Amino acid sequence: MSSSALDNEPQHTTPSPSYPAPGLSKMGLAAWIALVVLLGAELMDMLDQSVVLTALPAIQESTGAGPAAVQWLTTAYSLPIAVGLITGGRLGDLYGRRKILLTGTAVFTAASLLCGLAAGPGVLIGARALQGVGAAIMIPQILATLHITFEGQNRSKVFALYGAIMSLANVLGPVMGGLLTEADLSGLSWRPIFLVNVPVGLAVLLLGRRFIPESTARKAARLDLTGMLLSALAIILTVFPLTEGHLHHWPLWCFALLAAGLLALGAFLNHQRRKQDNAPLVPRSLFRGRQFSGGMAAQLMHGLLCGLFFMTWTLYLQRGLGMSPLHAALAFVLLSLGELAGATVAAKSAGRFARRLPQTGALITLAAVAAYGLQINTGQAGLTLTAMTTPVVLIGFGLGMVGGPLADMSLAKVPHEDAGSASGLFNTVMHLGIALGTALTALVFFATTDGSPDAGLNRDAFLTVLWWDGGLLALMWTLMFCLPKQANKQTD
């Protein structure tokens, strides 16, 4: 995709190191190291979104966690991220994206150590929440720094690599979780899945301070604290009752909280409308064109799909088919190979096919999900890893074609001064989608299984999940019509 619209806009950021734009091969060593560090930080965050999946049965057994605690091991991480990403993005705009990135990385690394040392489910859930806080501070700075540092064809290729990292992390996490849990290193069982973040986080801190360029919005203003509190309140009041409702048989207070969440959202939007000339948390100008708005909506569907599919898939593989954590990890390897292939296609096609590229990926995934559901329905307990290879690889291949191009096209017209806010919003809807998708497992999956290890119940519940996933993919494909039709078109 061309970046001519951005190139013609005035620059609003403080000077940063200038990296050659004509081609990725001409980037200097410092640019490459900065890119590796940024993508490494993104990989660390995304891994911890999914690394617990294949370790869930082992965590349940060693800590005594019930179905509610199992859900919160994922939600406690996603919810603070969804709540804090918008604020985290604006903090980077105001106080320096590198500085805020390193601050978030330090919090995340310390919280990972606490996770590895946790003795019970309560402490583990609290440490996961602290990880989410660190990630919320860290993540927006990654996309924002990529957006303002690289231009033209370079940026399209960098965003394709970003998509590849997302694809890799979604499946590498469960693979790592299964391998490390099965290995039982030094008798630590699942704990190394968190402890491995400590050396990675330290590397990001040391190299990031040296090689990542600093940038801020030129016209810095005070943080919109009222907007921050209202946005956090709206998200919490929405996600919490969706997560807890099934466990308490949907009491009246759940619906009351959902209604309060809608009121808080309305108050937030009204507050932002009145603050447009006075440093709002979310600049309304971002939504003037359908490219960003449509991309955000498609990203939300993407998050819902990931939150609903990956958690229930690992439970289906281990409880519905009786696989060990290591065997289930091999299924994720198949999906990861497909995602990497799809992301490679996206990287090689960067900037050429516009919305047709991610839309094709969504259709491939939809067809593969339908084929997988048919296979499960007919194969039942006799389904083997070999038999499911084709649909699983194709699901990964399609998803791999979506992430990078969707981010690139959604953010292409964002002014540099709002890069942090836009990045925070874009990541917010992804993590909010994951949190909502995880919450939906209570309605779509656990409502059938009720935490039971019965193989038949888990298979039936997962088939229901696949119907939901198909609907989300169809909606995501439709929303992508808001993205540019032609690769060189920057206007709506």
Side-chain angles (χ1 to χ4, degrees):
M1 172 178 292
S2 169
S3 62
S4 57
L6 277 177
D7 294 338
N8 292 331
E9 293 182 21
Q11 301 300 302
H12 298 282
T13 54
T14 55
S16 60
S18 178
Y19 300 142
L24 194 61
S25 61
K26 296 184 179 180
M27 293 201 317
L29 179 61
W32 273 110
I33 295 176
L35 177 60
V36 169
V37 173
L38 289 166
L39 294 182
E42 180 68 26
L43 178 63
M44 187 168 59
D45 157 58
M46 293 302 294
L47 279 176
D48 267 72
Q49 184 69 57
S50 57
V51 74
V52 299
L53 295 178
T54 43
L56 284 176
I59 293 174
Q60 275 191 286
E61 183 178 345
S62 67
T63 64
V70 169
Q71 276 188 270
W72 276 104
L73 285 174
T74 301
T75 305
Y77 183 72
S78 296
L79 186 56
I81 295 176
V83 168
L85 278 171
I86 300 175
T87 301
R90 196 40 123 183
L91 285 172
D93 288 341
L94 300 181
Y95 302 113
R97 298 180 180 104
R98 181 183 64 188
K99 180 189 299 183
I100 300 301
L101 169 66
L102 298 180
T103 300
T105 301
V107 173
F108 184 90
T109 304
S112 297
L113 180 60
L114 290 176
C115 285
L117 299 176
V123 176
L124 181 56
I125 290 171
R128 287 284 283 169
L130 186 59
Q131 270 190 315
V133 172
I137 299 171
M138 176 176 65
I139 296 170
Q141 322 315 324
I142 298 169
L143 266 183
T145 302
L146 292 176
H147 175 65
I148 66 172
T149 300
F150 302 97
E151 296 184 351
Q153 192 70 6
N154 259 357
R155 188 171 63 202
S156 292
K157 292 182 178 181
V158 164
F159 271 100
L161 289 173
Y162 170 83
I165 288 295
M166 288 181 60
S167 300
L168 176 64
N170 279 334
V171 288
L172 184 59
V175 170
M176 284 181 56
L179 290 174
L180 292 174
T181 301
E182 191 83 2
D184 194 20
L185 300 173
S186 301
L188 293 175
S189 184
W190 50 269
R191 299 180 188 280
I193 68 177
F194 298 112
L195 296 176
V196 72
N197 288 330
V198 176
V200 177
L202 292 175
V204 170
L205 288 170
L206 293 174
L207 294 175
R209 183 176 178 83
R210 172 68 179 83
F211 292 102
I212 295 177
E214 183 62 283
S215 62
T216 59
R218 177 169 294 176
K219 296 180 180 179
R222 291 189 305 171
L223 185 66
D224 179 11
L225 294 177
T226 302
M228 179 184 74
L229 292 174
L230 286 173
S231 65
L233 190 61
I235 293 171
I236 292 172
L237 289 175
T238 301
V239 175
F240 183 80
L242 288 176
T243 303
E244 293 290 311
H246 170 70
L247 299 172
H248 300 281
H249 306 290
W250 296 104
L252 182 60
W253 62 261
C254 283
F255 296 99
L257 288 180
L258 285 171
L262 291 176
L263 289 175
L265 177 61
F268 170 72
L269 295 175
N270 183 60
H271 174 73
Q272 293 301 287
R273 180 183 59 80
R274 291 187 286 105
K275 288 245 337 155
Q276 286 306 306
D277 296 327
N278 188 24
L281 195 64
V282 179
R284 190 169 56 182
S285 59
L286 292 173
F287 297 93
R288 286 176 182 164
R290 67 177 187 173
Q291 184 168 333
F292 183 75
S293 301
M296 288 268 291
Q299 181 77 332
L300 179 62
M301 297 303 105
H302 191 191
L304 278 166
L305 172 70
C306 291
L308 187 56
F309 178 81
F310 286 109
M311 180 178 180
T312 56
W313 192 39
T314 189
L315 293 173
Y316 159 71
L317 291 174
Q318 294 186 59
R319 292 178 176 172
L321 297 179
M323 293 184 179
S324 67
L326 181 58
H327 200 186
L330 293 177
F332 279 90
V333 169
L334 292 176
L335 199 145
S336 73
L337 292 174
E339 285 212 67
L340 287 175
T344 300
V345 169
K348 290 181 179 293
S349 307
R352 286 193 291 172
F353 297 105
R355 72 187 184 204
R356 286 173 292 174
L357 185 63
Q359 281 188 313
T360 300
L363 289 178
I364 291 173
T365 307
L366 177 58
V369 164
Y372 194 30
L374 180 63
Q375 189 180 56
I376 292 172
N377 192 46
T378 57
Q380 293 295 317
L383 186 60
T384 65
L385 187 60
T386 302
M388 69 174 73
T389 295
T390 298
V392 166
V393 169
L394 286 176
I395 289 172
F397 184 81
L399 290 175
M401 294 174 64
V402 172
L406 180 58
D408 182 25
M409 283 181 275
S410 300
L411 299 175
K413 294 177 65 179
V414 173
H416 285 189
E417 66 175 351
D418 293 324
S421 290
S423 174
L425 278 169
F426 191 76
N427 280 290
T428 292
V429 296
M430 179 65 176
H431 285 274
L432 179 58
I434 291 173
L436 291 173
T438 303
L440 276 176
T441 60
L443 295 171
V444 182
F445 188 85
F446 287 114
T448 300
T449 68
D450 198 26
S452 170
D454 180 78
L457 287 177
N458 279 272
R459 288 195 299 271
D460 291 343
F462 186 65
L463 278 172
T464 303
V465 169
L466 291 182
W467 278 103
W468 280 74
D469 289 335
L472 291 170
L473 284 163
L475 185 54
M476 182 169 67
W477 175 81
T478 303
L479 289 167
M480 287 178 186
F481 278 102
C482 296
L483 302 176
K485 182 179 182 180
Q486 298 176 359
N488 61 352
K489 185 177 181 182
Q490 289 297 313
T491 60
D492 296 318

